[in-house]
Amino acid sequence: MNDPQTACLKARIDAARAALPAWQARPVKTRARLVGAVRHALAQEADTVIAAVGDRFDRGPAETLTTEIIPLADAARFIERCAARVLATRHFGANGRPAWLWGVRGTVRRVPLGVVAIIAPGNYRLLLAGVQILQALAAGNAVIVKPAPHASASLVWLRAALVAAGLPGALFQIIEEDPGAGEALASAAIDKLFLTGSAATGRAVAGQLAARTVPAVLELSGNDAVFVLAGADIHVTARAIAWGMSLNGGATCIAPRRVFVVRERFDALASALRDALADAPARALDVKPRAMACERIAGAQACGWRLLGASPELGATGMAPCVLAQQSPSDSPLPGDLFAPVATLQPIDTINDAIAIDHDSHYALGAAVFGDPVEAAALAERLHAGVVTINDLIAPTADPRAPFAGAKASGHGTTRGAEGLLEMTRPQTVLTRRGMARPHLAPASEHDADLFKAYLTIAHGRGFGQKLAALKTAIRAGRARMR
């Protein structure tokens, strides 16, 4: 960004910071009620919001409603109802206090961060940034948002709805869409940054922030695995995989990319997937991911992978979902960061093989397990993914109570749910000593070590006899110290 643009960004941040004291003086419940009111606007102006989100990836109104608008309204209601409880000051007193700290009581309050920067994605342009914006504001922050290219309109609507509800305009500002604006935002005087994007972008931004010790939450790339166990309903599983691949034209970070099925169910799942994919329509796709998908499919077929579903047509702009199947263990031909409706299918022999596959991946964003619920839950507990769905794909993650957190190359930190609200604050602990006794301020004594070792045994030793002997030692040392 050139100097005038940098100066403009600084002025925006200064204005946001100047508006913070009055906003933070309002109780959390008041802020949350104002923010939560946006759900009423979403309901009243649904057609306007659908138009603002746009029809990228051939999404019809129903898909935009279910993937962006309804989940955002649900999140607003969750914030309105729960923010005050989640962010409430916590008190601790005598219960659980170490005996040698008698008289100490404490409080832990959640302090707003200040100016929160959000670099928004282009695939779910309203929902993903929208939840972060609402949570940041409810927690007492100001937000500066950098939209993805051609994705400002829905965020402009959201800002207008919040301002109409009574939000001071300086607290929610939208800057330019170009990548340079994101780089400048990461270098500006912000207090925390939330980024949803690729792993490469996340690494670059994290490097910028690290030099200034600015914290960040990074929701990055996925290469999600689906594990199909012996007890899975094969037809439900196949329909879910086909749906998950098609959703949003394949531009979903937790879409199924690698499907692993116990060997005895491989043929049945391959057949069911072929049927489920037969009528799946082609969806519009960005040029770059489509070209990458076509290249990977051709390379995989040359290496013996079998294609289930329609092969991408040369020169077309759309792509129908398809699956590359291979009956022998082989490295996946699909990279992470591929926003296209294509996945692989391979057999596994044991649960430990499934665990090894998961642990070997650089990515740990999402995963899914299909099978007997007890067996599936046991497997889920051993996976590295930040979110695991059992006997379904993607849809359950729209629950506003559910936190979303990746690991490894898929990022760090949490968005959404109660944990996402806490990410918008930092803890401040205040400790108060009551009473007049301050034994630690007295001059050191030659008996101190005996007294402290005796206390350690009384508090943490094993056996009644050992503790009784230590108590006698403590009494003698205490008397000697007081002479």
Side-chain angles (χ1 to χ4, degrees), residues 281-427:
R283 300 277 295 267
L285 208 62
D286 288 344
V287 173
K288 186 174 179 180
R290 188 184 189 283
M292 180 183 291
C294 290
E295 178 184 341
R296 296 285 176 160
I297 290 169
Q301 288 180 298
C303 294
W305 290 75
R306 178 165 48 105
L307 189 67
L308 309 177
S311 179
E313 296 180 14
L314 291 175
T317 57
M319 180 177 173
C322 58
V323 173
L324 291 162
Q326 173 71 279
Q327 292 207 39
S328 59
S330 177
D331 289 338
S332 172
L334 303 180
D337 284 332
L338 179 61
F339 269 26
V342 56
T344 59
L345 172 66
Q346 291 179 267
I348 52 175
D349 291 315
T350 68
I351 294 299
N352 285 335
D353 289 341
I355 300 298
I357 289 163
D358 174 71
H359 290 187
D360 189 52
S361 175
H362 296 300
Y363 300 98
L365 190 60
V369 185
F370 287 83
D372 172 77
V374 174
E375 186 181 359
L379 174 56
E381 290 179 0
R382 300 175 65 188
L383 301 179
H384 284 167
V387 58
V388 182
T389 57
I390 292 177
N391 291 325
D392 202 354
L393 276 172
I394 305 173
T397 66
D399 189 326
R401 301 167 298 176
F404 198 87
K408 300 166 78 169
S410 294
H412 56 76
T414 309
T415 61
R416 294 185 261 174
E419 291 79 0
L421 272 167
L422 293 172
E423 284 278 12
M424 297 296 178
T425 64
R426 60 179 178 82

Side-chain angles (χ1 to χ4, degrees), residues 79-291:
I79 292 167
E80 183 177 1
R81 292 178 175 178
C82 300
R85 172 180 54 80
V86 172
L87 301 176
T89 297
R90 179 167 58 88
H91 303 273
F92 53 93
N95 186 28
R97 181 178 61 202
W100 65 282
L101 290 174
W102 66 82
V104 173
R105 294 176 180 270
T107 60
V108 180
R109 51 190 289 263
R110 304 302 306 194
V111 180
L113 298 166
V115 177
V116 170
I118 296 173
I119 297 180
N123 56 338
Y124 292 93
R125 49 187 60 172
L126 175 64
L127 173 64
L128 299 185
V131 175
Q132 294 171 5
I133 291 163
L134 298 185
Q135 290 192 321
L137 293 170
N141 302 292
V143 289
I144 309 290
V145 183
K146 186 269 174 193
H150 314 296
S152 294
S154 59
L155 297 179
V156 169
W157 178 90
L158 180 61
R159 181 181 184 277
L162 287 167
V163 170
L167 180 76
L171 292 170
F172 176 7
Q173 302 191 49
I174 301 171
I175 63 172
E176 294 85 354
E177 297 177 349
D178 66 87
E183 294 175 12
L185 189 57
S187 300
I190 56 174
D191 297 297
K192 192 168 186 175
L193 185 138
F194 287 72
L195 165 70
T196 306
S198 69
T201 301
R203 286 192 295 268
V205 170
Q208 277 186 274
L209 299 171
R212 297 181 293 121
T213 62
V214 174
V217 169
L218 306 176
E219 184 181 316
L220 306 178
S221 308
N223 196 7
D224 283 19
V226 178
F227 298 99
V228 185
L229 307 181
D233 183 317
I234 291 297
H235 293 288
V236 169
T237 302
R239 288 170 54 206
I241 293 169
W243 174 82
M245 293 167 60
S246 299
L247 185 69
N248 205 39
T252 299
C253 56
I254 54 171
R257 296 284 177 241
R258 299 172 300 141
V259 181
F260 300 95
V261 57
V262 292
R263 190 172 294 279
E264 63 266 31
R265 306 301 302 275
F266 179 89
D267 290 337
L269 182 57
S271 177
L273 277 171
R274 189 181 296 106
D275 292 341
L277 296 169
D279 298 323
R283 300 277 295 267
L285 208 62
D286 288 344
V287 173
K288 186 174 179 180
R290 188 184 189 283

Side-chain angles (χ1 to χ4, degrees), residues 415-450:
T415 61
R416 294 185 261 174
E419 291 79 0
L421 272 167
L422 293 172
E423 284 278 12
M424 297 296 178
T425 64
R426 60 179 178 82
Q428 182 192 61
T429 304
V430 178
L431 299 168
T432 302
R433 190 69 177 257
R434 299 184 179 185
M436 299 301 294
R438 304 288 188 277
H440 54 286
L441 302 181
S445 165
E446 61 181 313
H447 304 286
D448 286 352
D450 290 337

